[in-house]
Each structure stands twice: as structure tokens, then as C-alpha cells.
Amino acid sequence: MRIIGVVAGATLALGTSSVLAGDTFKSGNELHEQCQDHTSPAATIYVMGVWDAYSALEELEGFETGICPPKGVSMGQMEDIVCTWLLQHPEDRHHAASSLALNALHQSFPCAN
């Protein structure tokens, strides 16, 4: 249940009011298409923007991000994680790309409790 709270909070912070793709800037389907286009940096730039916005939340008092990548993780690795997750979960790609990206990163890099 905590992941839902983390993703919901991040989704709201990123300016989306719903996790339904119809109400968001970009759907998981659109990001998946960008992941498949290896000639374009669009997926990398999107994941970078999602991570940058989410990381800024760490500055808020009392906000726990729930995503703790180890030192040295590259943006390329984060993109690979998100793109692989989208490939493996086609049933969820109609949801907001930002929520799906954060969910993939949370599953890969949960914070130690």
C-alpha cells in the first residue's frame, strides 16, 4: 500500500491529477514507443525529468521518496529499468508514464527500512 501512496504523491507533485493516461502529459504507451526508438534521446530525457522532479521532493520536510538508487547509478540505467518495466507490463501502459516510471524505479531501488 505504501507504493501507492508514494506514486500517488509523486504523481500529484508532477502536476497530474489522475493516473489515467487521458488526464496526463504522457502515457506509458507513448513512453514505451520512445523507448523503442534508439535513435532518439526522448525516453532518456523524460526519465531524467521525472527523476529530477521527484528528487526535488526530498527537499520537502517530512516527505519520504521511497526510491533510493545506490551511488553511481547512471541515468542510462534508470532509463533501462523504466523501459524494461514498460516492455514487461503492457497491461499497465495506459496509465501515466510518470507514475509507471516511478513504480519501476521503486521496485528496483527501494529504500532500506
Side-chain angles (χ1 to χ4, degrees), residues 15-65:
T16 58
S17 61
S18 170
V19 294
L20 298 177
D23 297 333
T24 63
F25 175 70
K26 183 184 295 289
S27 73
N29 284 314
E30 293 167 306
L31 182 56
H32 174 67
E33 287 178 23
Q34 291 176 336
C35 287
Q36 303 308 305
D37 182 358
H38 301 288
T39 64
S40 170
T44 303
I45 292 168
Y46 187 81
V47 172
M48 188 181 314
V50 168
W51 180 248
D52 191 41
Y54 192 69
S55 295
L57 296 175
E58 291 180 335
E59 302 296 320
L60 299 176
E61 186 175 328
F63 185 84
E64 294 182 29
T65 63

